[in-house]
Amino acid sequence: MVSKQKIRRKLAQADFTDDVMFELVMSQLEICRKFLKAVLPQLDFTKIKVVDQSHLKTDYLSKAGRLDIHCTDAYGNQFDIELQMTNEHNVAQRAKYYHALMTNHMLTAGENYQSLKETYVIFLCPFNPLITEQQRAVGHYQMISEEGDYLNDGTHTLILNASGDWEGVSDELKGIFQLVLRQPASFGQLGAQIMDKIDEIKHSKTGGRKYMELTGVFWQDAREAGIKIGERCDKSVAPQAVWGAFLVG
């Protein structure tokens, strides 16, 4: 069991790149709306619903899905915002899985496939996660044929690379990029608003309690996932070893 003192120290040091703090801040409806509008200005986010840390699971054998921030708009389109601070070289595969998780729950029995809504997976990174020299800050990827024709399957993967070239990037996104790079937000208004919200969470009893509760949930989920991994491993491997390997990985 992780001590409350350790969680309190984590809270005191937490910034926008802390996974728990990121969820608490980005699950704020107005902040989430402004972020999505900065990333996708052509879309209507007047009405959105935020479901923070959604667990989407298809069956008891499948990998449990945890989306950092999952929300829907008034038209049923779904959005997943992922903070990716370390390069695990699997962004494309993760995007594929997250799209599948969101799409899996869209249709009821007998419903037409044309009823499927758009899905957007947005990765926010301090690095370029692709095996390419492309250094633009915002990349929007869709299914396309070798001839250059779009498949129009409704899946959109956006990669926001804070270390990329900021030319043409809005001030609001620049402020977010500064936070991802662990710098004070001096561009736009959203970054400053996020910094204020983080300070509010740290210095309020309610915010501190939510942070501690959510941290406990995070670690409990990780522990349960480690146990499930252990159940599928060789019985000669000690559960403690599997749990330790899961944390390190």
Side-chain angles (χ1 to χ4, degrees), residues 174-193:
K174 287 179 182 178
I176 295 295
F177 286 165
Q178 287 178 307
L179 295 180
V180 172
L181 297 173
R182 297 189 171 99
Q183 302 170 0
S186 59
F187 287 95
Q189 299 179 356
L190 182 55
Q193 184 178 350

PDB file of all heavy atoms in Angstrom, residues 174-193:
ATOM      1  N   LYS A 174       0.308  26.924 -28.354  1.00  0.00           N
ATOM      2  CA  LYS A 174       1.681  27.196 -27.911  1.00  0.00           C
ATOM      3  C   LYS A 174       1.758  27.177 -26.383  1.00  0.00           C
ATOM      4  O   LYS A 174       2.719  26.663 -25.800  1.00  0.00           O
ATOM      5  CB  LYS A 174       2.152  28.551 -28.445  1.00  0.00           C
ATOM      6  CG  LYS A 174       2.458  28.570 -29.931  1.00  0.00           C
ATOM      7  CD  LYS A 174       2.886  29.960 -30.371  1.00  0.00           C
ATOM      8  CE  LYS A 174       3.162  30.015 -31.866  1.00  0.00           C
ATOM      9  NZ  LYS A 174       3.534  31.387 -32.317  1.00  0.00           N
ATOM     10  N   GLY A 175       0.743  27.750 -25.730  1.00  0.00           N
ATOM     11  CA  GLY A 175       0.717  27.735 -24.267  1.00  0.00           C
ATOM     12  C   GLY A 175       0.645  26.322 -23.720  1.00  0.00           C
ATOM     13  O   GLY A 175       1.300  25.994 -22.723  1.00  0.00           O
ATOM     14  N   ILE A 176      -0.139  25.461 -24.375  1.00  0.00           N
ATOM     15  CA  ILE A 176      -0.223  24.057 -23.969  1.00  0.00           C
ATOM     16  C   ILE A 176       1.127  23.375 -24.172  1.00  0.00           C
ATOM     17  O   ILE A 176       1.592  22.604 -23.316  1.00  0.00           O
ATOM     18  CB  ILE A 176      -1.314  23.328 -24.775  1.00  0.00           C
ATOM     19  CG1 ILE A 176      -2.697  23.901 -24.462  1.00  0.00           C
ATOM     20  CG2 ILE A 176      -1.282  21.828 -24.488  1.00  0.00           C
ATOM     21  CD1 ILE A 176      -3.141  23.683 -23.035  1.00  0.00           C
ATOM     22  N   PHE A 177       1.758  23.644 -25.308  1.00  0.00           N
ATOM     23  CA  PHE A 177       3.068  23.050 -25.586  1.00  0.00           C
ATOM     24  C   PHE A 177       4.088  23.454 -24.514  1.00  0.00           C
ATOM     25  O   PHE A 177       4.937  22.648 -24.106  1.00  0.00           O
ATOM     26  CB  PHE A 177       3.565  23.486 -26.961  1.00  0.00           C
ATOM     27  CG  PHE A 177       2.857  22.822 -28.116  1.00  0.00           C
ATOM     28  CD1 PHE A 177       2.971  23.338 -29.395  1.00  0.00           C
ATOM     29  CD2 PHE A 177       2.082  21.693 -27.930  1.00  0.00           C
ATOM     30  CE1 PHE A 177       2.326  22.723 -30.461  1.00  0.00           C
ATOM     31  CE2 PHE A 177       1.431  21.077 -28.982  1.00  0.00           C
ATOM     32  CZ  PHE A 177       1.552  21.590 -30.258  1.00  0.00           C
ATOM     33  N   GLN A 178       4.019  24.702 -24.068  1.00  0.00           N
ATOM     34  CA  GLN A 178       4.936  25.141 -23.015  1.00  0.00           C
ATOM     35  C   GLN A 178       4.748  24.305 -21.742  1.00  0.00           C
ATOM     36  O   GLN A 178       5.719  23.913 -21.096  1.00  0.00           O
ATOM     37  CB  GLN A 178       4.716  26.621 -22.718  1.00  0.00           C
ATOM     38  CG  GLN A 178       5.237  27.553 -23.807  1.00  0.00           C
ATOM     39  CD  GLN A 178       4.952  29.014 -23.490  1.00  0.00           C
ATOM     40  OE1 GLN A 178       3.812  29.398 -23.222  1.00  0.00           O
ATOM     41  NE2 GLN A 178       5.995  29.839 -23.522  1.00  0.00           N
ATOM     42  N   LEU A 179       3.505  24.032 -21.400  1.00  0.00           N
ATOM     43  CA  LEU A 179       3.236  23.224 -20.207  1.00  0.00           C
ATOM     44  C   LEU A 179       3.753  21.803 -20.377  1.00  0.00           C
ATOM     45  O   LEU A 179       4.290  21.212 -19.436  1.00  0.00           O
ATOM     46  CB  LEU A 179       1.735  23.204 -19.918  1.00  0.00           C
ATOM     47  CG  LEU A 179       1.094  24.535 -19.546  1.00  0.00           C
ATOM     48  CD1 LEU A 179      -0.405  24.352 -19.297  1.00  0.00           C
ATOM     49  CD2 LEU A 179       1.758  25.139 -18.309  1.00  0.00           C
ATOM     50  N   VAL A 180       3.592  21.239 -21.576  1.00  0.00           N
ATOM     51  CA  VAL A 180       4.091  19.892 -21.843  1.00  0.00           C
ATOM     52  C   VAL A 180       5.610  19.844 -21.726  1.00  0.00           C
ATOM     53  O   VAL A 180       6.189  18.841 -21.283  1.00  0.00           O
ATOM     54  CB  VAL A 180       3.643  19.421 -23.243  1.00  0.00           C
ATOM     55  CG1 VAL A 180       4.299  18.104 -23.621  1.00  0.00           C
ATOM     56  CG2 VAL A 180       2.132  19.275 -23.295  1.00  0.00           C
ATOM     57  N   LEU A 181       6.260  20.946 -22.105  1.00  0.00           N
ATOM     58  CA  LEU A 181       7.721  21.039 -21.995  1.00  0.00           C
ATOM     59  C   LEU A 181       8.160  21.498 -20.609  1.00  0.00           C
ATOM     60  O   LEU A 181       9.327  21.802 -20.393  1.00  0.00           O
ATOM     61  CB  LEU A 181       8.248  22.000 -23.059  1.00  0.00           C
ATOM     62  CG  LEU A 181       8.013  21.562 -24.518  1.00  0.00           C
ATOM     63  CD1 LEU A 181       8.433  22.664 -25.474  1.00  0.00           C
ATOM     64  CD2 LEU A 181       8.751  20.265 -24.821  1.00  0.00           C
ATOM     65  N   ARG A 182       7.195  21.556 -19.694  1.00  0.00           N
ATOM     66  CA  ARG A 182       7.432  21.948 -18.286  1.00  0.00           C
ATOM     67  C   ARG A 182       7.971  23.371 -18.189  1.00  0.00           C
ATOM     68  O   ARG A 182       8.890  23.669 -17.430  1.00  0.00           O
ATOM     69  CB  ARG A 182       8.378  20.958 -17.601  1.00  0.00           C
ATOM     70  CG  ARG A 182       7.806  19.541 -17.511  1.00  0.00           C
ATOM     71  CD  ARG A 182       8.669  18.637 -16.640  1.00  0.00           C
ATOM     72  NE  ARG A 182       8.025  17.370 -16.383  1.00  0.00           N
ATOM     73  CZ  ARG A 182       8.289  16.236 -17.047  1.00  0.00           C
ATOM     74  NH1 ARG A 182       9.202  16.237 -18.014  1.00  0.00           N
ATOM     75  NH2 ARG A 182       7.668  15.108 -16.748  1.00  0.00           N
ATOM     76  N   GLN A 183       7.374  24.256 -18.986  1.00  0.00           N
ATOM     77  CA  GLN A 183       7.697  25.670 -18.960  1.00  0.00           C
ATOM     78  C   GLN A 183       6.463  26.463 -18.545  1.00  0.00           C
ATOM     79  O   GLN A 183       5.335  26.001 -18.744  1.00  0.00           O
ATOM     80  CB  GLN A 183       8.149  26.135 -20.359  1.00  0.00           C
ATOM     81  CG  GLN A 183       9.342  25.407 -20.919  1.00  0.00           C
ATOM     82  CD  GLN A 183       9.592  25.746 -22.375  1.00  0.00           C
ATOM     83  OE1 GLN A 183       8.863  26.542 -22.983  1.00  0.00           O
ATOM     84  NE2 GLN A 183      10.631  25.156 -22.961  1.00  0.00           N
ATOM     85  N   PRO A 184       6.630  27.642 -17.971  1.00  0.00           N
ATOM     86  CA  PRO A 184       5.465  28.487 -17.673  1.00  0.00           C
ATOM     87  C   PRO A 184       4.762  28.877 -18.962  1.00  0.00           C
ATOM     88  O   PRO A 184       5.407  29.137 -19.980  1.00  0.00           O
ATOM     89  CB  PRO A 184       6.080  29.712 -16.984  1.00  0.00           C
ATOM     90  CG  PRO A 184       7.419  29.260 -16.518  1.00  0.00           C
ATOM     91  CD  PRO A 184       7.894  28.243 -17.511  1.00  0.00           C
ATOM     92  N   ALA A 185       3.444  28.905 -18.930  1.00  0.00           N
ATOM     93  CA  ALA A 185       2.672  29.246 -20.135  1.00  0.00           C
ATOM     94  C   ALA A 185       2.617  30.756 -20.304  1.00  0.00           C
ATOM     95  O   ALA A 185       2.032  31.461 -19.491  1.00  0.00           O
ATOM     96  CB  ALA A 185       1.267  28.672 -20.036  1.00  0.00           C
ATOM     97  N   SER A 186       3.227  31.260 -21.371  1.00  0.00           N
ATOM     98  CA  SER A 186       3.225  32.698 -21.642  1.00  0.00           C
ATOM     99  C   SER A 186       2.428  33.044 -22.896  1.00  0.00           C
ATOM    100  O   SER A 186       2.215  34.215 -23.185  1.00  0.00           O
ATOM    101  CB  SER A 186       4.672  33.203 -21.792  1.00  0.00           C
ATOM    102  OG  SER A 186       5.342  32.524 -22.839  1.00  0.00           O
ATOM    103  N   PHE A 187       1.992  32.019 -23.650  1.00  0.00           N
ATOM    104  CA  PHE A 187       1.199  32.247 -24.859  1.00  0.00           C
ATOM    105  C   PHE A 187      -0.279  31.967 -24.570  1.00  0.00           C
ATOM    106  O   PHE A 187      -0.624  31.024 -23.866  1.00  0.00           O
ATOM    107  CB  PHE A 187       1.660  31.333 -25.997  1.00  0.00           C
ATOM    108  CG  PHE A 187       2.980  31.706 -26.613  1.00  0.00           C
ATOM    109  CD1 PHE A 187       4.145  31.102 -26.180  1.00  0.00           C
ATOM    110  CD2 PHE A 187       3.053  32.658 -27.627  1.00  0.00           C
ATOM    111  CE1 PHE A 187       5.372  31.428 -26.748  1.00  0.00           C
ATOM    112  CE2 PHE A 187       4.268  32.995 -28.194  1.00  0.00           C
ATOM    113  CZ  PHE A 187       5.429  32.382 -27.748  1.00  0.00           C
ATOM    114  N   GLY A 188      -1.146  32.786 -25.139  1.00  0.00           N
ATOM    115  CA  GLY A 188      -2.577  32.554 -25.040  1.00  0.00           C
ATOM    116  C   GLY A 188      -3.113  32.651 -23.619  1.00  0.00           C
ATOM    117  O   GLY A 188      -2.420  33.093 -22.693  1.00  0.00           O
ATOM    118  N   GLN A 189      -4.345  32.214 -23.449  1.00  0.00           N
ATOM    119  CA  GLN A 189      -5.010  32.275 -22.152  1.00  0.00           C
ATOM    120  C   GLN A 189      -5.235  30.902 -21.525  1.00  0.00           C
ATOM    121  O   GLN A 189      -5.307  30.776 -20.310  1.00  0.00           O
ATOM    122  CB  GLN A 189      -6.361  32.984 -22.301  1.00  0.00           C
ATOM    123  CG  GLN A 189      -6.259  34.415 -22.806  1.00  0.00           C
ATOM    124  CD  GLN A 189      -7.617  35.074 -22.970  1.00  0.00           C
ATOM    125  OE1 GLN A 189      -8.659  34.457 -22.781  1.00  0.00           O
ATOM    126  NE2 GLN A 189      -7.618  36.351 -23.338  1.00  0.00           N
ATOM    127  N   LEU A 190      -5.351  29.856 -22.368  1.00  0.00           N
ATOM    128  CA  LEU A 190      -5.675  28.531 -21.849  1.00  0.00           C
ATOM    129  C   LEU A 190      -4.577  27.981 -20.952  1.00  0.00           C
ATOM    130  O   LEU A 190      -4.858  27.392 -19.900  1.00  0.00           O
ATOM    131  CB  LEU A 190      -5.941  27.571 -23.013  1.00  0.00           C
ATOM    132  CG  LEU A 190      -6.332  26.143 -22.631  1.00  0.00           C
ATOM    133  CD1 LEU A 190      -7.535  26.136 -21.701  1.00  0.00           C
ATOM    134  CD2 LEU A 190      -6.609  25.318 -23.881  1.00  0.00           C
ATOM    135  N   GLY A 191      -3.321  28.165 -21.350  1.00  0.00           N
ATOM    136  CA  GLY A 191      -2.207  27.673 -20.534  1.00  0.00           C
ATOM    137  C   GLY A 191      -2.217  28.289 -19.149  1.00  0.00           C
ATOM    138  O   GLY A 191      -2.040  27.598 -18.137  1.00  0.00           O
ATOM    139  N   ALA A 192      -2.445  29.600 -19.084  1.00  0.00           N
ATOM    140  CA  ALA A 192      -2.511  30.288 -17.793  1.00  0.00           C
ATOM    141  C   ALA A 192      -3.695  29.793 -16.974  1.00  0.00           C
ATOM    142  O   ALA A 192      -3.605  29.638 -15.747  1.00  0.00           O
ATOM    143  CB  ALA A 192      -2.595  31.797 -18.009  1.00  0.00           C
ATOM    144  N   GLN A 193      -4.819  29.550 -17.642  1.00  0.00           N
ATOM    145  CA  GLN A 193      -6.000  29.026 -16.952  1.00  0.00           C
ATOM    146  C   GLN A 193      -5.722  27.648 -16.356  1.00  0.00           C
ATOM    147  O   GLN A 193      -6.146  27.345 -15.230  1.00  0.00           O
ATOM    148  CB  GLN A 193      -7.175  28.935 -17.933  1.00  0.00           C
ATOM    149  CG  GLN A 193      -8.481  28.492 -17.289  1.00  0.00           C
ATOM    150  CD  GLN A 193      -9.639  28.451 -18.278  1.00  0.00           C
ATOM    151  OE1 GLN A 193      -9.528  28.917 -19.406  1.00  0.00           O
ATOM    152  NE2 GLN A 193     -10.751  27.886 -17.858  1.00  0.00           N
TER     153      GLN A 193
END
